[in-house]
């Protein structure tokens, strides 16, 4: 795979440097560790630290900002950051009111963040943890704590950032963030694999004419492998699997994220969005807000995932709280349908 | 020779690092079968840093050699393997009184502590398709060698054979912990990548002992 990189061993560091240089002054990069921190931190608030393996950008790196993470730490490609790196991010984000960790539920992340939490405790910093486990395909509901975190990380981070920004204490920030996690679900379909920089072979194999429903962001097996189908059929499968899992009922309010894995075109994402909104409408579900884009990727992996965040009045309040990050901003957004009534177009 | 000095432990760990760095592709391939294929990259990078730390100074305390190795891996590697393989050397050498040399019994105790801590943090039992599948039999073998007062060289040879056997047995298991968990029956037939790494480490220690102890 051709990639615009230099020495494969330096990809993560060079990416961090590029990010910080682009946003000159807004963020700072810590020496020797792959941690970015907001240059200006509001005093008196709980710190939000997010992180995980690299290679999924814009997740986690670009979800730093106002009403988003205060510090982001990343490990090597697809590998959790070491505890010392997480600790450096924790110290940088702490303003004496503790730090919330939000990250995807993977064995490596759990081990490293837990060790960092122990180290932070010894340094007198309180931490709390919310692991994102939105991937419906990764385990059945009775083993929900085995589920992995994928694109739904976005919603959980958005709500966590808003809760910190609103000045809640650590216990309350954790409670609200856990509630967001409990109401977030994602299902994806993979079309072709991504490759780790510097490694010729793809991270997994998928024949040209096959797709896999529920495949994870590192090629973890999903629920069903089968022949390629039209977008609408695939989107219907994803929406129905989520609807059954939550379970969604008529009258529920949701936010919808149609996420590309890296090489999916915007055209495809919007075609999928169109069908997802149609299908949710048929189910009687009200869509409060919707985004399409690359939020959680796996290099040049192709495919799409659909994430839903089910809102209640409390979550809606935090979702609506103004926020800015390089990857997502509430500025310029309007609530769907407020400017133009739904034309009812069914194409 | 029934003891290992700090200088010897340092030489042995440098040799282990050399072998892991050379085995990078083999470990990536093992991971690619049932994971994302990057295990060798992390292990090679971690052991390379570990080798730098060991080469940078002389050691008079055996435990310091293993502590420095494990702590460096935890600090630099990341991923599940950074913690797991870091603890392999770090858990049993941390907070130990300084020793200029240790015998098979102390060596065995060190890995027994590592097994306990890895199992506690990783929530893994034998048969879950993790490094524990190879580490558990290795620790049982070391304990037996210690009780039978076997010389170091023989203890390490048997420890390697036990780890290798455990690694091979991991082929038959369905993963219950870690990324391969989602594979279910599809992971059967392949050994766990962590168990492969442990077997490579155990073989390197035994090979080094064969020539140098």
């Amino acid at each position: 795979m051709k990639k615009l990189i230099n020495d494969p061993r330096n990809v993560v560091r060079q990416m961090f440097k590029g990010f910080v240089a682009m946003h000159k002054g807004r963020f700072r990069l810590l020496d020797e560790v792959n941690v970015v921190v907001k240059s200006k931190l509001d005093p008196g608030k709980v710190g939000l630290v997010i992180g995980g393996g690299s290679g999924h950008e814009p997740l986690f790196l670009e979800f730093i900002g106002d009403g988003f993470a205060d510090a982001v730490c990343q490990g090597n490609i697809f590998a959790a950051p070491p505890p010392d790196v997480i600790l450096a991010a924790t110290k940088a984000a702490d303003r004496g009111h503790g730090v919330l960790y939000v990250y995807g539920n993977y064995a490596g992340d759990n081990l490293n963040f837990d060790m960092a939490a122990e180290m932070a405790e010894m340094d007198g910093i309180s931490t709390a943890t919310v692991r994102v486990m939105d991937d419906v395909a990764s385990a059945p509901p009775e083993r929900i704590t085995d589920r992995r975190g994928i694109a739904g990380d976005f919603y959980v981070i958005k709500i966590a950032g808003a809760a910190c920004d609103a000045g809640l204490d650590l216990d309350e920030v954790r409670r609200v963030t856990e509630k967001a996690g409990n109401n977030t679900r994602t299902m994806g379909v993979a079309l072709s694999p991504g490759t780790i920089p510097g490694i010729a072979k793809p991270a997994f194999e998928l024949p040209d004419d096959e797709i896999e429903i529920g495949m994870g962001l590192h090629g973890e097996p999903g629920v069903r492998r089968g022949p390629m189908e039209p977008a609408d059929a695939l989107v219907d499968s994803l929406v129905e699997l989520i609807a059954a899992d939550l379970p969604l009922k008529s009258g529920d309010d949701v936010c919808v994220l149609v996420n590309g894995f890296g090489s999916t075109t915007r055209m495809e994402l919007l075609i999928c969005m169109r069908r997802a909104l149609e299908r949710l409408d048929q189910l009687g579900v009200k869509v409060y807000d919707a985004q399409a884009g690359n939020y959680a990727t796996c290099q040049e992996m192709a495919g799409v995932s659909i994430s839903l965040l089910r809102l209640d009045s409390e979550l809606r309040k935090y979702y609506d709280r103004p926020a800015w990050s390089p990857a997502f901003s509430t500025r310029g957004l309007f609530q769907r349908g407020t400017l133009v009534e739904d034309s009812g177009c069914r194409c | 020779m029934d003891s290992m000095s700090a200088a010897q432990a340092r030489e042995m760990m440098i040799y282990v690092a050399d072998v892991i760095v050379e085995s990078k592709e083999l470990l990536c391939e093992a991971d690619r079968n049932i994971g994302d294929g990057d295990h060798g990259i992390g292990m090679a990078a971690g052991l390379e840093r570990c080798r730098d730390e060991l080469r940078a100074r002389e050691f008079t305390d055996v435990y310091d050699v293993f502590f420095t190795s494990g702590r460096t891996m935890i600090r630099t590697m990341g991923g599940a393997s950074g913690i797991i393989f870091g603890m392999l050397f770090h858990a049993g050498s941390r907070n130990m009184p300084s020793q200029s040399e240790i015998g098979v019994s102390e060596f065995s105790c060190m890995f027994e502590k590592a097994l306990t801590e890895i199992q506690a943090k990783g929530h893994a039992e034998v048969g879950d398709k993790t490094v524990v599948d190879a580490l558990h039999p290795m620790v049982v073998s070391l304990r037996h060698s210690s009780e039978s007062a076997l010389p170091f060289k023989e203890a390490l040879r048997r420890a390697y054979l036990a780890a290798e056997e455990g690694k091979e047995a991991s082929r038959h298991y369905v993963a219950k912990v870690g990324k391969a968990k989602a594979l279910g029956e599809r992971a059967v037939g392949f050994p766990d990548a962590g168990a492969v790494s442990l077997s490579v480490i155990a073989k390197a220690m035994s090979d080094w002992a064969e020539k140098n102890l």
Side-chain angles (χ1 to χ4, degrees):
Chain A
M1 176 55 65
K2 286 182 274 193
K3 281 184 195 273
L4 291 165
I5 60 170
N6 301 301
D7 183 338
R9 287 174 302 182
N10 295 337
V11 288
V12 178
R13 192 65 182 168
Q14 293 189 343
M15 169 178 73
F16 268 75
K17 284 184 174 171
F19 175 77
V20 171
M22 177 168 76
H23 296 284
K24 191 173 177 7
R26 202 187 286 270
F27 309 116
R28 63 193 175 92
L29 176 61
L30 300 193
D31 292 338
E32 294 183 17
V33 288
N34 293 322
V35 174
V36 286
V37 188
K38 281 168 64 181
S39 299
K40 273 199 281 181
L41 294 169
D42 287 347
K45 291 177 181 173
V46 168
L48 177 60
V49 170
I50 63 172
S54 290
H56 302 302
E57 294 71 24
L59 187 73
F60 294 85
L61 178 61
E62 299 189 81
F63 290 108
I64 185 173
D66 300 332
F68 275 95
D70 296 303
V72 181
C73 48
Q74 289 188 185
N76 291 324
I77 303 284
F78 304 165
D84 302 73
V85 174
I86 301 166
L87 182 66
T90 309
K91 286 178 175 172
D94 181 49
R95 280 148 275 164
H97 297 268
V99 169
L100 179 72
Y101 294 149
V102 176
Y103 56 89
N105 185 38
Y106 295 86
D109 294 281
N110 299 348
L111 285 165
N112 284 278
F113 274 93
D114 280 353
M115 190 175 279
E118 284 173 24
M119 291 157 76
E121 200 69 53
M122 285 191 276
D123 285 341
I125 303 174
S126 308
T127 63
T129 294
V130 176
R131 294 171 178 165
V132 184
M133 30 190 96
D134 58 313
D135 185 357
V136 173
S138 51
E142 62 272 19
R143 287 194 290 113
I144 201 156
T145 55
D146 281 352
R147 286 185 177 176
R148 301 179 293 255
I150 48 176
D153 280 343
F154 162 68
Y155 286 128
V156 185
I157 293 166
K158 168 70 183 78
I159 299 295
C164 290
D165 194 45
L168 304 190
D169 69 19
L170 186 57
D171 283 343
E172 272 296 283
V173 166
R174 170 174 42 196
R175 182 189 64 76
V176 170
T177 306
E178 269 173 358
K179 188 184 199 180
N182 292 339
N183 284 283
T184 302
R185 296 288 188 283
T186 301
M187 270 301 305
V189 56
L191 310 187
S192 65
T195 54
I196 295 176
I199 296 190
K201 280 194 198 172
F204 57 92
E205 278 167 25
L206 193 55
D208 273 351
D209 53 352
E210 288 187 14
I211 52 100
E212 185 155 327
I213 303 252
M215 180 174 265
L217 268 187
H218 315 86
E220 298 95 333
V223 292
R224 178 166 66 82
R225 190 172 276 209
M228 185 60 194
E229 294 173 60
D232 286 7
L234 292 173
V235 169
D236 285 357
S237 299
L238 303 184
V239 171
E240 279 149 27
L241 283 161
I242 295 171
D245 192 81
L246 256 173
L248 269 183
K249 57 181 195 307
S250 180
D252 280 347
D253 284 304
V254 298
C255 297
V256 183
L257 168 63
V258 173
N259 171 63
F261 291 151
S263 71
T264 313
T265 62
R266 184 127 191 105
M267 174 187 276
E268 293 166 283
L269 295 182
L270 293 175
I271 288 169
C272 292
M273 174 62 83
R274 163 197 139 277
R275 182 58 187 176
L277 295 178
E278 267 177 19
R279 192 73 193 96
L280 287 166
D281 188 51
Q282 288 166 3
L283 295 170
V285 173
K286 289 181 284 181
V287 175
Y288 183 68
D289 196 15
Q291 284 91 39
N294 288 335
Y295 281 61
T297 67
C298 172
Q299 298 294 290
E300 61 286 286
M301 179 170 168
V304 69
S305 66
I306 295 176
S307 301
L308 298 185
L309 167 65
R310 182 172 53 189
L311 295 170
D312 64 3
S313 58
E314 185 181 42
L315 290 177
R316 182 183 307 210
K317 181 178 79 180
Y318 292 110
Y319 184 81
D320 280 345
R321 194 176 176 88
W324 179 91
S325 76
F328 176 87
S329 166
T330 55
R331 251 176 90 186
L333 283 187
F334 58 92
Q335 195 184 324
R336 287 181 71 255
T338 51
L339 296 190
V340 183
E341 273 309 302
D342 189 339
S343 65
C345 167
R346 296 285 174 268
C347 313
Chain B
M1 189 82 177
D2 275 318
S3 68
M4 183 185 286
S5 70
Q8 286 172 322
R10 173 175 173 265
E11 287 309 310
M12 182 179 78
M13 285 306 296
I14 289 173
Y15 181 71
V16 167
D18 287 341
V19 171
I20 286 286
V21 170
E22 282 163 26
S23 309
K24 182 170 150 181
E25 262 316 301
L26 176 130
L27 299 178
C28 280
E29 189 59 39
D31 189 31
R32 204 173 290 122
N33 292 328
I34 52 173
D36 52 20
D38 62 355
H39 180 62
I41 300 179
M43 289 296 288
L47 270 298
E48 217 173 318
R49 292 291 290 270
C50 176
R51 187 170 62 188
D52 292 345
E53 294 284 329
L54 294 175
R55 279 187 181 149
R57 62 188 174 98
E58 297 295 321
F59 288 80
T60 52
D61 170 14
V62 184
Y63 290 122
D64 190 18
V65 173
F66 293 109
F67 177 83
T68 300
S69 304
R71 189 68 188 87
T72 303
M73 291 166 76
I74 289 173
R75 185 165 54 78
T76 62
M77 282 172 64
S81 45
I83 300 283
I84 299 293
F85 283 91
M87 286 197 297
L88 178 67
F89 299 111
H90 172 261
S93 60
R94 190 180 56 207
N95 302 325
M96 291 298 284
S98 179
Q99 291 289 338
S100 58
E101 53 179 44
I102 61 170
V104 173
S105 151
E106 289 87 354
F107 190 85
S108 166
C109 272
M110 200 167 59
F111 284 93
E112 195 155 348
K113 282 184 194 163
L115 174 66
T116 305
E117 193 160 323
I118 288 170
Q119 288 199 271
K121 298 232 177 192
H123 310 288
E125 299 295 328
V126 170
D128 289 350
K129 209 174 186 90
T130 69
V131 68
V132 171
D133 296 338
L135 181 57
H136 187 274
M138 176 174 147
V139 165
V140 169
S141 165
L142 281 171
R143 195 190 303 146
H144 186 257
S145 296
S146 161
E147 284 160 5
S148 320
L150 293 179
F152 236 120
K153 198 187 288 191
E154 182 60 16
L156 286 174
R157 193 183 70 84
R158 292 185 183 198
Y160 157 59
L161 293 176
E164 173 66 17
E165 203 174 305
K167 175 208 87 182
E168 283 301 312
S170 76
R171 286 181 189 275
H172 309 301
Y173 304 145
V174 173
K176 296 199 186 64
V177 181
K179 277 184 197 159
K181 184 170 58 184
L183 281 163
E185 294 291 329
R186 283 200 253 175
V188 173
F190 299 103
D192 172 66
V196 174
S197 268
L198 186 77
S199 170
V200 170
I201 290 169
K203 180 169 194 312
M205 293 198 292
S206 172
D207 287 351
W208 183 88
E210 191 62 38
K211 281 178 243 150
N212 297 285
L213 280 184

